Amino acid sequence: MSKTKVVLASVLKPVDDSRTYEKIGYSLSQTKKYDVNIIGFEAKNIDHILPNINLYPAFNFDRLSFKRVTAQITCWKHYLKCRPDIIIFNTHELILVSIIYKIVFGVKICYDVRENYYRNIKYGKSFPTLLKVLLAGYVRAKEYLSRHWIDHYFVAEKNYEKEFIFTLGKSTVIQNKFQNLYGIKKATKRGYTQLIFTGTLGETTGIFQAIDFAKAMHKIEPTIRLRIIGRAAQKSTLNKIKKQIQHSPWISLVGGESLVSHRQIIKAISTADIGLICYPKNKSTLGSIPTKLYEYLALELPILLQRNPLWEEVCHPYNASLNIDFSTVDHKYLWLQIKTHKFYTSAPGLEVKWASEAVKLTEALGSI
């Protein structure tokens, strides 16, 4: 029996992106029913090649670049090369080209909605105010108007089913829970001085709150170290990070301008003492659960968590976090709390891991 050809397509996400490659791609390939092909951004030094998955690193450009405008043409060419039966794209930028391909060739198309792009643009700081409003409106209109042609939606957050009307009636929640393909073991208890900040390095993800917090804690306890590992999409953000840490040799930066493999990030988490989740309050992230929250929980890493009822609810069953407001925290008192708090009085189980989401994914895809 011939396999169903599936293309997983993105513009800015690397071909070895954790959700696309390690989770969705790997899970589909394991069923033996799908020929999996991933189109995405170029990734250097992929350190773990998964079998039965074909990678097409089609894009390599700056975030704001003319090449990004022509990305749909590039993607169309790869669609023609792969000849898919099903397309799963994960960015609003590929809505139009995917619909055109569906109309011409009669394939099924799915939209993997990973973020609330409308809120990201409107409440982010990448564009001037007027341009933000116009772009956000354009993206949301495109998502609504394309509903008729989309066969199914995968949404990365439970809250998205409340936030999006366009997905109603044909969506499945597939959360970004932890997938450990590398056999990396949970964090080893050593102390509380090795802090870590992982993932996207941006103003809205709290990188500057993390740096300010670590500096304040370092004054109280000089053995404290901060490891930052991830990529800054904007050069201005990266330059600001480098400037703020240049006189603090106890703060290290891994990645910065270059992508960091997910395997490397998970290894770093496993050797850390405390994970920082310090998103500043912003409507673009308020209803989302950070992927790293599941990663920290699965590896039983103690967490300092910015107060957010949704995130606190996830951590509460395991006593995994100290919930604080990073903008008003009493650092001396917090240090005493950290040293006396009993983290992980119960261990997280399958509820924080990808296996349950993989079942929902394959069932939903099979139904279309």
Side-chain angles (χ1 to χ4, degrees):
M1 181 183 294
S2 61
K3 294 181 179 180
T4 300
K5 283 193 173 184
V6 176
V7 159
L8 308 175
S10 181
V11 173
L12 293 179
K13 298 295 183 183
V15 289
D16 65 342
D17 167 71
S18 62
R19 180 175 173 91
T20 303
Y21 180 60
E22 298 177 359
K23 297 174 185 176
I24 296 177
Y26 177 77
S27 297
L28 294 182
S29 71
Q30 290 299 292
T31 66
K32 310 299 182 184
K33 297 178 181 178
Y34 300 100
D35 175 9
V36 180
N37 305 270
I38 299 177
I39 301 169
F41 204 85
E42 183 179 286
K44 297 179 180 179
N45 303 318
I46 300 175
D47 58 5
H48 188 79
I49 303 297
L50 297 175
N52 306 318
I53 297 178
N54 303 307
L55 303 180
Y56 297 91
F59 309 111
N60 186 356
F61 45 71
D62 292 332
R63 193 174 185 87
L64 299 178
S65 165
F66 179 74
K67 286 185 177 180
R68 188 171 177 181
V69 177
T70 63
Q72 294 196 54
I73 297 173
T74 303
C75 194
W76 173 267
K77 292 177 180 178
H78 280 78
Y79 284 172
L80 292 175
K81 182 185 295 184
C82 296
R83 294 288 181 179
D85 301 301
I86 300 173
I87 295 172
I88 304 174
F89 60 91
N90 60 33
T91 171
H92 61 87
E93 291 176 81
L94 298 180
I95 289 177
L96 181 59
V97 66
S98 301
I99 288 176
I100 293 173
Y101 194 88
K102 172 188 175 74
I103 292 171
V104 174
F105 294 102
V107 305
K108 300 290 186 180
I109 60 175
C110 303
Y111 184 6
D112 180 26
V113 192
R114 303 169 61 145
E115 301 173 50
N116 188 328
Y117 297 107
Y118 170 83
R119 289 188 179 183
N120 283 4
I121 296 170
K122 187 175 180 180
Y123 301 113
K125 299 187 178 182
S126 299
F127 304 101
T129 303
L130 179 58
L131 184 58
K132 284 196 295 187
V133 174
L134 292 173
L135 283 175
Y138 165 70
V139 168
R140 183 47 48 89
K142 186 166 53 172
E143 289 177 322
Y144 276 114
L145 294 173
S146 63
R147 172 182 163 84
H148 174 74
W149 289 277
I150 307 296
D151 293 288
H152 200 74
Y153 295 89
F154 300 116
V155 293
E157 305 285 349
K158 289 181 179 179
N159 276 10
Y160 287 173
E161 292 196 313
K162 301 175 184 177
E163 294 176 19
F164 305 145
I165 296 176
F166 62 87
T167 66
L168 292 180
K170 48 181 178 179
S171 67
T172 303
V173 178
I174 306 292
Q175 293 178 282
N176 268 324
K177 296 185 179 181
F178 182 64
Q179 168 80 312
N180 190 358
L181 296 180
Y182 314 116
I184 296 173
K185 297 180 180 179
K186 67 181 182 181
T188 302
K189 178 76 167 59
R190 297 185 307 175
Y192 298 108
T193 59
Q194 305 300 313
L195 311 182
I196 193 167
F197 183 98
T198 61
T200 302
L201 311 182
E203 194 164 340
T204 58
T205 62
I207 181 57
F208 299 114
Q209 280 80 356
I211 293 171
D212 290 343
F213 173 80
K215 286 181 177 179
M217 295 299 290
H218 184 74
K219 290 179 181 178
I220 297 168
E221 176 51 64
T223 62
I224 280 180
R225 302 287 183 268
L226 171 63
R227 190 178 194 188
I228 301 168
I229 179 166
R231 178 175 180 261
Q234 295 180 291
K235 290 184 179 179
S236 58
T237 301
L238 179 59
N239 291 336
K240 186 177 178 180
I241 292 170
K242 289 181 176 179
K243 184 177 181 180
Q244 290 198 5
I245 69 174
Q246 63 181 342
H247 300 303
S248 302
W250 49 274
I251 301 179
S252 61
L253 172 63
V254 180
E257 61 186 358
S258 59
L259 292 165
V260 182
S261 74
H262 192 233
R263 185 181 191 179
Q264 189 175 354
I265 290 174
I266 297 302
K267 279 186 176 180
I269 293 171
S270 72
T271 60
D273 294 328
I274 294 180
L276 303 181
I277 298 181
C278 45
Y279 289 62
K281 292 181 180 179
N282 188 293
K283 289 184 179 179
S284 67
T285 56
L286 199 60
S288 304
I289 298 176
T291 300
K292 60 185 169 185
L293 180 56
Y294 290 120
E295 294 170 347
Y296 295 176
L297 287 172
L299 294 171
E300 296 188 27
L301 178 68
I303 303 167
L304 295 181
L305 185 69
Q306 173 62 43
R307 287 198 174 277
N308 178 306
L310 182 62
W311 306 344
E312 292 175 45
E313 183 182 351
V314 176
C315 292
H316 177 71
Y318 324 108
N319 206 27
S321 63
L322 282 174
N323 309 319
I324 62 176
D325 186 337
F326 278 83
S327 62
T328 60
V329 64
D330 181 332
H331 297 91
K332 287 185 179 180
Y333 177 65
L334 177 62
W335 180 237
L336 292 175
Q337 281 186 295
I338 290 171
K339 291 188 292 184
T340 57
H341 187 75
K342 291 184 179 181
F343 291 95
Y344 292 98
T345 50
S346 62
L350 294 176
E351 67 278 3
V352 303
K353 297 179 181 178
W354 172 253
S356 59
E357 306 305 296
V359 172
K360 291 191 291 180
L361 169 71
T362 53
E363 288 180 350
L365 203 58
S367 71
I368 68 167

